[in-house]
Amino acid sequence: MQTLESEPQPESSGRPLVVTLVALLALTLISWAISHLDLGMASTLVALAIASTKAGFVLHAFMELPLAATPARVVVIVTLSFIALLCAGTVTDVALR
Amino acid sequence: MTEVIYSDPRQRTHALHLGMWMFLGSETLLFAGLFGLYASYRAEFPSEFAVGVAHNNALIGTANTAVLIISSFFVAWGVHSIRGSRRRPCMISLGVAVLLGLTFLVLKSIEYTEHLRAGLAPGAHFSSTMLPARGFALFYTLYFVMTGLHALHVVAGITILTWLAIRVRRGRTRRDHRTELELGGLYWHLVDIVWIFLWPLLYLTHR
């Protein structure tokens, strides 16, 4: 969200927001339906993959990350890197138990 | 004061947005620590966690997911409206988002009541005879900590959105003051994202 105060903005369409809402609700339905399938351990990975996709949609369309200034995007990248580090540490810990 | 510090409105807007993104980053890492704890304990007690997930009310969890996603859309729509100087649609959008946030909390409290009646309380208060193992107690402790912390964020978000809606209604948030709406919106969307990950881990992954 990078609009600047006192700076006239061209009127944008709200269509991407509606499309994103429909996509998010569809993915929620898919996630719920898949939870009824017996995928074993893969069910958690599939559920998290769908959740990540949904989070990506929210970041992209609702939070307008692509329009954010570079320092803000760096903050997001650093945060995601720390989470990746945490995931790697947790997986390593579990694997070496 | 801000006018003194920032001679250029662009600088102020950039600084406010960067500050909010940094705050959201720290919030994300707070929840990430809890997700890491969840993953670690789930690896240690896989069957107890799976049964715990299956025991949760997936209908309420799923309804709450839809509620937060739709509320997030309305907040985004509110920001979109104020950019077009449409105060009334903005105010209505924020109002709907607040109502949906309250709906989320009502559904959550119904669920909490069900759990507490069954003795599925956090920590030393866990007294369920139906699910007696230590893994179940850990699952419900994490469940209450993660969803409780998230619920506190929902309460904060509702407060912020209500304040913004009142300002829009009073005409204090004009098109050239939309930054505060954008920042409030960013916070609410993060609350939505956290739930997007909590939902499958606490309600769906029971296999």
Side-chain angles (χ1 to χ4, degrees), chain A residues 56-88:
Chain A
F57 281 146
V58 173
L59 273 167
H60 187 273
F62 292 170
M63 300 175 87
E64 300 179 336
L65 183 61
L67 302 179
T70 305
R73 277 182 275 173
V74 169
V75 169
V76 175
I77 291 167
V78 169
T79 303
L80 293 178
S81 304
F82 282 160
I83 291 172
L85 201 62
L86 180 75
C87 290

PDB file of all heavy atoms in Angstrom, chain A residues 56-88:
ATOM      1  N   GLY A  56      -0.080 -15.698   0.098  1.00  0.00           N
ATOM      2  CA  GLY A  56       0.510 -14.969  -1.031  1.00  0.00           C
ATOM      3  C   GLY A  56      -0.512 -14.059  -1.703  1.00  0.00           C
ATOM      4  O   GLY A  56      -0.216 -12.911  -2.051  1.00  0.00           O
ATOM      5  N   PHE A  57      -1.738 -14.577  -1.870  1.00  0.00           N
ATOM      6  CA  PHE A  57      -2.811 -13.767  -2.469  1.00  0.00           C
ATOM      7  C   PHE A  57      -3.118 -12.538  -1.607  1.00  0.00           C
ATOM      8  O   PHE A  57      -3.304 -11.433  -2.116  1.00  0.00           O
ATOM      9  CB  PHE A  57      -4.083 -14.597  -2.639  1.00  0.00           C
ATOM     10  CG  PHE A  57      -4.071 -15.504  -3.845  1.00  0.00           C
ATOM     11  CD1 PHE A  57      -4.693 -16.742  -3.815  1.00  0.00           C
ATOM     12  CD2 PHE A  57      -3.440 -15.118  -5.019  1.00  0.00           C
ATOM     13  CE1 PHE A  57      -4.685 -17.581  -4.924  1.00  0.00           C
ATOM     14  CE2 PHE A  57      -3.416 -15.948  -6.132  1.00  0.00           C
ATOM     15  CZ  PHE A  57      -4.040 -17.180  -6.085  1.00  0.00           C
ATOM     16  N   VAL A  58      -3.199 -12.764  -0.283  1.00  0.00           N
ATOM     17  CA  VAL A  58      -3.502 -11.650   0.621  1.00  0.00           C
ATOM     18  C   VAL A  58      -2.386 -10.602   0.554  1.00  0.00           C
ATOM     19  O   VAL A  58      -2.646  -9.395   0.455  1.00  0.00           O
ATOM     20  CB  VAL A  58      -3.693 -12.156   2.073  1.00  0.00           C
ATOM     21  CG1 VAL A  58      -3.845 -10.986   3.047  1.00  0.00           C
ATOM     22  CG2 VAL A  58      -4.913 -13.065   2.172  1.00  0.00           C
ATOM     23  N   LEU A  59      -1.146 -11.083   0.596  1.00  0.00           N
ATOM     24  CA  LEU A  59       0.001 -10.158   0.517  1.00  0.00           C
ATOM     25  C   LEU A  59      -0.009  -9.378  -0.797  1.00  0.00           C
ATOM     26  O   LEU A  59       0.276  -8.182  -0.835  1.00  0.00           O
ATOM     27  CB  LEU A  59       1.314 -10.941   0.632  1.00  0.00           C
ATOM     28  CG  LEU A  59       1.836 -11.208   2.041  1.00  0.00           C
ATOM     29  CD1 LEU A  59       2.941 -12.257   1.995  1.00  0.00           C
ATOM     30  CD2 LEU A  59       2.378  -9.928   2.669  1.00  0.00           C
ATOM     31  N   HIS A  60      -0.325 -10.070  -1.862  1.00  0.00           N
ATOM     32  CA  HIS A  60      -0.262  -9.452  -3.192  1.00  0.00           C
ATOM     33  C   HIS A  60      -1.411  -8.479  -3.445  1.00  0.00           C
ATOM     34  O   HIS A  60      -1.186  -7.325  -3.829  1.00  0.00           O
ATOM     35  CB  HIS A  60      -0.252 -10.562  -4.252  1.00  0.00           C
ATOM     36  CG  HIS A  60      -0.025 -10.042  -5.643  1.00  0.00           C
ATOM     37  ND1 HIS A  60      -1.054  -9.604  -6.443  1.00  0.00           N
ATOM     38  CD2 HIS A  60       1.106  -9.870  -6.355  1.00  0.00           C
ATOM     39  CE1 HIS A  60      -0.564  -9.190  -7.596  1.00  0.00           C
ATOM     40  NE2 HIS A  60       0.750  -9.342  -7.574  1.00  0.00           N
ATOM     41  N   ALA A  61      -2.636  -8.944  -3.211  1.00  0.00           N
ATOM     42  CA  ALA A  61      -3.799  -8.129  -3.605  1.00  0.00           C
ATOM     43  C   ALA A  61      -4.293  -7.207  -2.491  1.00  0.00           C
ATOM     44  O   ALA A  61      -4.592  -6.041  -2.750  1.00  0.00           O
ATOM     45  CB  ALA A  61      -4.936  -9.047  -4.054  1.00  0.00           C
ATOM     46  N   PHE A  62      -4.409  -7.738  -1.274  1.00  0.00           N
ATOM     47  CA  PHE A  62      -4.977  -6.930  -0.184  1.00  0.00           C
ATOM     48  C   PHE A  62      -3.915  -6.007   0.442  1.00  0.00           C
ATOM     49  O   PHE A  62      -4.201  -4.859   0.774  1.00  0.00           O
ATOM     50  CB  PHE A  62      -5.597  -7.812   0.897  1.00  0.00           C
ATOM     51  CG  PHE A  62      -6.834  -8.553   0.462  1.00  0.00           C
ATOM     52  CD1 PHE A  62      -7.391  -9.539   1.263  1.00  0.00           C
ATOM     53  CD2 PHE A  62      -7.469  -8.265  -0.744  1.00  0.00           C
ATOM     54  CE1 PHE A  62      -8.536 -10.225   0.875  1.00  0.00           C
ATOM     55  CE2 PHE A  62      -8.604  -8.946  -1.149  1.00  0.00           C
ATOM     56  CZ  PHE A  62      -9.136  -9.937  -0.335  1.00  0.00           C
ATOM     57  N   MET A  63      -2.697  -6.548   0.638  1.00  0.00           N
ATOM     58  CA  MET A  63      -1.646  -5.751   1.290  1.00  0.00           C
ATOM     59  C   MET A  63      -0.783  -5.003   0.265  1.00  0.00           C
ATOM     60  O   MET A  63       0.057  -4.200   0.652  1.00  0.00           O
ATOM     61  CB  MET A  63      -0.774  -6.653   2.173  1.00  0.00           C
ATOM     62  CG  MET A  63      -1.565  -7.341   3.271  1.00  0.00           C
ATOM     63  SD  MET A  63      -0.606  -8.522   4.241  1.00  0.00           S
ATOM     64  CE  MET A  63       0.091  -7.442   5.492  1.00  0.00           C
ATOM     65  N   GLU A  64      -0.994  -5.324  -0.999  1.00  0.00           N
ATOM     66  CA  GLU A  64      -0.327  -4.626  -2.109  1.00  0.00           C
ATOM     67  C   GLU A  64       1.195  -4.611  -1.963  1.00  0.00           C
ATOM     68  O   GLU A  64       1.839  -3.579  -2.170  1.00  0.00           O
ATOM     69  CB  GLU A  64      -0.871  -3.199  -2.225  1.00  0.00           C
ATOM     70  CG  GLU A  64      -2.364  -3.174  -2.484  1.00  0.00           C
ATOM     71  CD  GLU A  64      -2.930  -1.761  -2.571  1.00  0.00           C
ATOM     72  OE1 GLU A  64      -2.312  -0.842  -2.003  1.00  0.00           O
ATOM     73  OE2 GLU A  64      -3.970  -1.591  -3.213  1.00  0.00           O
ATOM     74  N   LEU A  65       1.732  -5.773  -1.613  1.00  0.00           N
ATOM     75  CA  LEU A  65       3.188  -5.867  -1.436  1.00  0.00           C
ATOM     76  C   LEU A  65       3.980  -5.453  -2.682  1.00  0.00           C
ATOM     77  O   LEU A  65       5.019  -4.785  -2.557  1.00  0.00           O
ATOM     78  CB  LEU A  65       3.569  -7.287  -0.998  1.00  0.00           C
ATOM     79  CG  LEU A  65       5.044  -7.511  -0.700  1.00  0.00           C
ATOM     80  CD1 LEU A  65       5.530  -6.617   0.431  1.00  0.00           C
ATOM     81  CD2 LEU A  65       5.311  -8.974  -0.356  1.00  0.00           C
ATOM     82  N   PRO A  66       3.525  -5.814  -3.899  1.00  0.00           N
ATOM     83  CA  PRO A  66       4.303  -5.407  -5.087  1.00  0.00           C
ATOM     84  C   PRO A  66       4.437  -3.885  -5.225  1.00  0.00           C
ATOM     85  O   PRO A  66       5.360  -3.409  -5.869  1.00  0.00           O
ATOM     86  CB  PRO A  66       3.499  -5.987  -6.261  1.00  0.00           C
ATOM     87  CG  PRO A  66       2.716  -7.098  -5.664  1.00  0.00           C
ATOM     88  CD  PRO A  66       2.389  -6.672  -4.282  1.00  0.00           C
ATOM     89  N   LEU A  67       3.499  -3.144  -4.628  1.00  0.00           N
ATOM     90  CA  LEU A  67       3.559  -1.681  -4.728  1.00  0.00           C
ATOM     91  C   LEU A  67       4.338  -1.054  -3.569  1.00  0.00           C
ATOM     92  O   LEU A  67       4.566   0.161  -3.563  1.00  0.00           O
ATOM     93  CB  LEU A  67       2.135  -1.092  -4.737  1.00  0.00           C
ATOM     94  CG  LEU A  67       1.203  -1.574  -5.847  1.00  0.00           C
ATOM     95  CD1 LEU A  67      -0.165  -0.918  -5.695  1.00  0.00           C
ATOM     96  CD2 LEU A  67       1.786  -1.262  -7.214  1.00  0.00           C
ATOM     97  N   ALA A  68       4.713  -1.869  -2.600  1.00  0.00           N
ATOM     98  CA  ALA A  68       5.420  -1.341  -1.430  1.00  0.00           C
ATOM     99  C   ALA A  68       6.839  -0.930  -1.812  1.00  0.00           C
ATOM    100  O   ALA A  68       7.414  -1.424  -2.783  1.00  0.00           O
ATOM    101  CB  ALA A  68       5.461  -2.395  -0.333  1.00  0.00           C
ATOM    102  N   ALA A  69       7.391   0.005  -1.027  1.00  0.00           N
ATOM    103  CA  ALA A  69       8.760   0.469  -1.289  1.00  0.00           C
ATOM    104  C   ALA A  69       9.755  -0.664  -1.014  1.00  0.00           C
ATOM    105  O   ALA A  69       9.446  -1.596  -0.267  1.00  0.00           O
ATOM    106  CB  ALA A  69       9.065   1.667  -0.393  1.00  0.00           C
ATOM    107  N   THR A  70      10.918  -0.562  -1.618  1.00  0.00           N
ATOM    108  CA  THR A  70      11.930  -1.617  -1.496  1.00  0.00           C
ATOM    109  C   THR A  70      12.257  -1.959  -0.037  1.00  0.00           C
ATOM    110  O   THR A  70      12.316  -3.143   0.303  1.00  0.00           O
ATOM    111  CB  THR A  70      13.215  -1.209  -2.250  1.00  0.00           C
ATOM    112  OG1 THR A  70      12.845  -0.904  -3.590  1.00  0.00           O
ATOM    113  CG2 THR A  70      14.243  -2.323  -2.243  1.00  0.00           C
ATOM    114  N   PRO A  71      12.475  -0.988   0.862  1.00  0.00           N
ATOM    115  CA  PRO A  71      12.780  -1.360   2.254  1.00  0.00           C
ATOM    116  C   PRO A  71      11.684  -2.218   2.898  1.00  0.00           C
ATOM    117  O   PRO A  71      11.984  -3.134   3.654  1.00  0.00           O
ATOM    118  CB  PRO A  71      12.890   0.000   2.961  1.00  0.00           C
ATOM    119  CG  PRO A  71      13.233   0.966   1.896  1.00  0.00           C
ATOM    120  CD  PRO A  71      12.530   0.478   0.671  1.00  0.00           C
ATOM    121  N   ALA A  72      10.424  -1.926   2.565  1.00  0.00           N
ATOM    122  CA  ALA A  72       9.323  -2.726   3.120  1.00  0.00           C
ATOM    123  C   ALA A  72       9.394  -4.154   2.586  1.00  0.00           C
ATOM    124  O   ALA A  72       9.167  -5.121   3.326  1.00  0.00           O
ATOM    125  CB  ALA A  72       7.983  -2.089   2.769  1.00  0.00           C
ATOM    126  N   ARG A  73       9.727  -4.279   1.309  1.00  0.00           N
ATOM    127  CA  ARG A  73       9.841  -5.624   0.731  1.00  0.00           C
ATOM    128  C   ARG A  73      11.015  -6.388   1.340  1.00  0.00           C
ATOM    129  O   ARG A  73      10.968  -7.600   1.528  1.00  0.00           O
ATOM    130  CB  ARG A  73       9.976  -5.540  -0.790  1.00  0.00           C
ATOM    131  CG  ARG A  73       8.611  -5.406  -1.468  1.00  0.00           C
ATOM    132  CD  ARG A  73       8.728  -5.373  -2.951  1.00  0.00           C
ATOM    133  NE  ARG A  73       9.013  -4.014  -3.430  1.00  0.00           N
ATOM    134  CZ  ARG A  73       9.301  -3.713  -4.680  1.00  0.00           C
ATOM    135  NH1 ARG A  73       9.375  -4.663  -5.579  1.00  0.00           N
ATOM    136  NH2 ARG A  73       9.527  -2.476  -5.026  1.00  0.00           N
ATOM    137  N   VAL A  74      12.082  -5.640   1.664  1.00  0.00           N
ATOM    138  CA  VAL A  74      13.243  -6.266   2.323  1.00  0.00           C
ATOM    139  C   VAL A  74      12.822  -6.812   3.692  1.00  0.00           C
ATOM    140  O   VAL A  74      13.218  -7.919   4.082  1.00  0.00           O
ATOM    141  CB  VAL A  74      14.404  -5.246   2.476  1.00  0.00           C
ATOM    142  CG1 VAL A  74      15.497  -5.803   3.387  1.00  0.00           C
ATOM    143  CG2 VAL A  74      14.990  -4.910   1.106  1.00  0.00           C
ATOM    144  N   VAL A  75      11.996  -6.059   4.407  1.00  0.00           N
ATOM    145  CA  VAL A  75      11.502  -6.517   5.720  1.00  0.00           C
ATOM    146  C   VAL A  75      10.765  -7.847   5.557  1.00  0.00           C
ATOM    147  O   VAL A  75      10.965  -8.791   6.330  1.00  0.00           O
ATOM    148  CB  VAL A  75      10.566  -5.455   6.356  1.00  0.00           C
ATOM    149  CG1 VAL A  75       9.840  -6.029   7.571  1.00  0.00           C
ATOM    150  CG2 VAL A  75      11.355  -4.221   6.764  1.00  0.00           C
ATOM    151  N   VAL A  76       9.928  -7.943   4.531  1.00  0.00           N
ATOM    152  CA  VAL A  76       9.169  -9.183   4.295  1.00  0.00           C
ATOM    153  C   VAL A  76      10.123 -10.330   3.969  1.00  0.00           C
ATOM    154  O   VAL A  76       9.986 -11.442   4.506  1.00  0.00           O
ATOM    155  CB  VAL A  76       8.150  -8.982   3.144  1.00  0.00           C
ATOM    156  CG1 VAL A  76       7.450 -10.296   2.806  1.00  0.00           C
ATOM    157  CG2 VAL A  76       7.113  -7.933   3.537  1.00  0.00           C
ATOM    158  N   ILE A  77      11.115 -10.052   3.119  1.00  0.00           N
ATOM    159  CA  ILE A  77      12.071 -11.103   2.739  1.00  0.00           C
ATOM    160  C   ILE A  77      12.863 -11.579   3.962  1.00  0.00           C
ATOM    161  O   ILE A  77      13.051 -12.786   4.167  1.00  0.00           O
ATOM    162  CB  ILE A  77      13.032 -10.579   1.633  1.00  0.00           C
ATOM    163  CG1 ILE A  77      12.244 -10.379   0.330  1.00  0.00           C
ATOM    164  CG2 ILE A  77      14.190 -11.541   1.405  1.00  0.00           C
ATOM    165  CD1 ILE A  77      12.985  -9.586  -0.730  1.00  0.00           C
ATOM    166  N   VAL A  78      13.307 -10.631   4.785  1.00  0.00           N
ATOM    167  CA  VAL A  78      14.070 -10.999   5.993  1.00  0.00           C
ATOM    168  C   VAL A  78      13.194 -11.825   6.938  1.00  0.00           C
ATOM    169  O   VAL A  78      13.637 -12.847   7.481  1.00  0.00           O
ATOM    170  CB  VAL A  78      14.592  -9.730   6.713  1.00  0.00           C
ATOM    171  CG1 VAL A  78      15.147 -10.070   8.085  1.00  0.00           C
ATOM    172  CG2 VAL A  78      15.671  -9.049   5.869  1.00  0.00           C
ATOM    173  N   THR A  79      11.937 -11.406   7.106  1.00  0.00           N
ATOM    174  CA  THR A  79      11.009 -12.148   7.981  1.00  0.00           C
ATOM    175  C   THR A  79      10.831 -13.574   7.468  1.00  0.00           C
ATOM    176  O   THR A  79      10.916 -14.539   8.238  1.00  0.00           O
ATOM    177  CB  THR A  79       9.634 -11.441   8.034  1.00  0.00           C
ATOM    178  OG1 THR A  79       9.829 -10.098   8.486  1.00  0.00           O
ATOM    179  CG2 THR A  79       8.684 -12.149   8.973  1.00  0.00           C
ATOM    180  N   LEU A  80      10.590 -13.711   6.160  1.00  0.00           N
ATOM    181  CA  LEU A  80      10.402 -15.051   5.584  1.00  0.00           C
ATOM    182  C   LEU A  80      11.677 -15.885   5.708  1.00  0.00           C
ATOM    183  O   LEU A  80      11.624 -17.095   5.928  1.00  0.00           O
ATOM    184  CB  LEU A  80       9.966 -14.938   4.117  1.00  0.00           C
ATOM    185  CG  LEU A  80       8.576 -14.329   3.887  1.00  0.00           C
ATOM    186  CD1 LEU A  80       8.274 -14.219   2.395  1.00  0.00           C
ATOM    187  CD2 LEU A  80       7.494 -15.166   4.576  1.00  0.00           C
ATOM    188  N   SER A  81      12.837 -15.221   5.593  1.00  0.00           N
ATOM    189  CA  SER A  81      14.111 -15.944   5.739  1.00  0.00           C
ATOM    190  C   SER A  81      14.263 -16.483   7.160  1.00  0.00           C
ATOM    191  O   SER A  81      14.702 -17.620   7.356  1.00  0.00           O
ATOM    192  CB  SER A  81      15.295 -15.023   5.423  1.00  0.00           C
ATOM    193  OG  SER A  81      15.164 -14.485   4.139  1.00  0.00           O
ATOM    194  N   PHE A  82      13.897 -15.673   8.145  1.00  0.00           N
ATOM    195  CA  PHE A  82      13.974 -16.129   9.542  1.00  0.00           C
ATOM    196  C   PHE A  82      13.019 -17.304   9.781  1.00  0.00           C
ATOM    197  O   PHE A  82      13.354 -18.245  10.498  1.00  0.00           O
ATOM    198  CB  PHE A  82      13.637 -14.982  10.506  1.00  0.00           C
ATOM    199  CG  PHE A  82      14.772 -14.005  10.707  1.00  0.00           C
ATOM    200  CD1 PHE A  82      14.526 -12.726  11.188  1.00  0.00           C
ATOM    201  CD2 PHE A  82      16.081 -14.363  10.432  1.00  0.00           C
ATOM    202  CE1 PHE A  82      15.567 -11.818  11.385  1.00  0.00           C
ATOM    203  CE2 PHE A  82      17.135 -13.466  10.617  1.00  0.00           C
ATOM    204  CZ  PHE A  82      16.875 -12.194  11.097  1.00  0.00           C
ATOM    205  N   ILE A  83      11.853 -17.231   9.160  1.00  0.00           N
ATOM    206  CA  ILE A  83      10.892 -18.340   9.315  1.00  0.00           C
ATOM    207  C   ILE A  83      11.457 -19.606   8.665  1.00  0.00           C
ATOM    208  O   ILE A  83      11.347 -20.707   9.225  1.00  0.00           O
ATOM    209  CB  ILE A  83       9.527 -17.964   8.704  1.00  0.00           C
ATOM    210  CG1 ILE A  83       8.877 -16.868   9.551  1.00  0.00           C
ATOM    211  CG2 ILE A  83       8.603 -19.170   8.622  1.00  0.00           C
ATOM    212  CD1 ILE A  83       7.624 -16.276   8.953  1.00  0.00           C
ATOM    213  N   ALA A  84      12.094 -19.446   7.493  1.00  0.00           N
ATOM    214  CA  ALA A  84      12.719 -20.594   6.818  1.00  0.00           C
ATOM    215  C   ALA A  84      13.807 -21.197   7.704  1.00  0.00           C
ATOM    216  O   ALA A  84      13.945 -22.428   7.805  1.00  0.00           O
ATOM    217  CB  ALA A  84      13.300 -20.161   5.469  1.00  0.00           C
ATOM    218  N   LEU A  85      14.567 -20.319   8.369  1.00  0.00           N
ATOM    219  CA  LEU A  85      15.623 -20.774   9.279  1.00  0.00           C
ATOM    220  C   LEU A  85      15.009 -21.554  10.443  1.00  0.00           C
ATOM    221  O   LEU A  85      15.512 -22.619  10.835  1.00  0.00           O
ATOM    222  CB  LEU A  85      16.376 -19.548   9.803  1.00  0.00           C
ATOM    223  CG  LEU A  85      17.777 -19.757  10.363  1.00  0.00           C
ATOM    224  CD1 LEU A  85      18.716 -20.284   9.299  1.00  0.00           C
ATOM    225  CD2 LEU A  85      18.314 -18.438  10.932  1.00  0.00           C
ATOM    226  N   LEU A  86      13.919 -21.045  10.967  1.00  0.00           N
ATOM    227  CA  LEU A  86      13.222 -21.703  12.078  1.00  0.00           C
ATOM    228  C   LEU A  86      12.712 -23.079  11.634  1.00  0.00           C
ATOM    229  O   LEU A  86      12.863 -24.070  12.356  1.00  0.00           O
ATOM    230  CB  LEU A  86      12.052 -20.833  12.542  1.00  0.00           C
ATOM    231  CG  LEU A  86      11.221 -21.395  13.698  1.00  0.00           C
ATOM    232  CD1 LEU A  86      11.968 -21.267  15.017  1.00  0.00           C
ATOM    233  CD2 LEU A  86       9.890 -20.669  13.801  1.00  0.00           C
ATOM    234  N   CYS A  87      12.139 -23.124  10.427  1.00  0.00           N
ATOM    235  CA  CYS A  87      11.632 -24.401   9.888  1.00  0.00           C
ATOM    236  C   CYS A  87      12.773 -25.397   9.729  1.00  0.00           C
ATOM    237  O   CYS A  87      12.653 -26.573  10.106  1.00  0.00           O
ATOM    238  CB  CYS A  87      10.947 -24.189   8.538  1.00  0.00           C
ATOM    239  SG  CYS A  87       9.389 -23.318   8.659  1.00  0.00           S
ATOM    240  N   ALA A  88      13.895 -24.920   9.166  1.00  0.00           N
ATOM    241  CA  ALA A  88      15.053 -25.798   8.948  1.00  0.00           C
ATOM    242  C   ALA A  88      15.559 -26.336  10.286  1.00  0.00           C
ATOM    243  O   ALA A  88      15.875 -27.539  10.407  1.00  0.00           O
ATOM    244  CB  ALA A  88      16.157 -25.036   8.221  1.00  0.00           C
TER     245      ALA A  88
END
